[in-house]
Amino acid sequence: MINDEGKIVDLYLPRKCAWTNKLITAKDHASVQLNIGHLNEEGVYTGSYTTFALTGKVRAMGEADSALDIMWRKASP
């Protein structure tokens, strides 16, 4: 829900898996959310980051590392 000022005021915003595009439920305690920092040419953190969320099922199948690698290659500038 959005208020008059244009801010999101919902109490709970469900996350979606970046790889499977499925909702991450509140009971999925094996899910993770990773923030990958952006670096400049000298290797110094710029203060910005990209967020990826993965479900516990993706992690249990052992696909998390390859999924994260593929998604990062697509998302990197």
Side-chain angles (χ1 to χ4, degrees):
M1 200 162 104
I2 300 176
N3 65 5
D4 295 335
E5 298 173 0
K7 294 182 181 179
I8 298 174
V9 293
D10 289 333
L11 295 177
Y12 176 71
L13 292 174
R15 295 180 296 162
K16 288 179 88 173
C17 178
W19 184 246
T20 62
N21 211 23
K22 293 184 178 181
L23 286 178
I24 299 175
T25 64
K27 295 293 183 180
D28 188 359
H29 298 294
S31 64
V32 293
Q33 181 171 325
L34 302 169
N35 293 328
I36 300 177
H38 297 215
L39 306 176
N40 63 10
E41 296 81 24
E42 291 130 16
V44 179
Y45 177 59
T46 61
S48 60
Y49 56 86
T50 302
T51 303
F52 296 107
L54 296 172
T55 61
K57 183 177 181 182
V58 172
R59 295 182 65 214
M61 290 188 305
E63 294 183 11
D65 56 343
S66 61
L68 190 61
D69 185 43
I70 292 168
M71 289 185 299
W72 176 247
R73 290 180 193 268
K74 289 182 182 177
S76 62

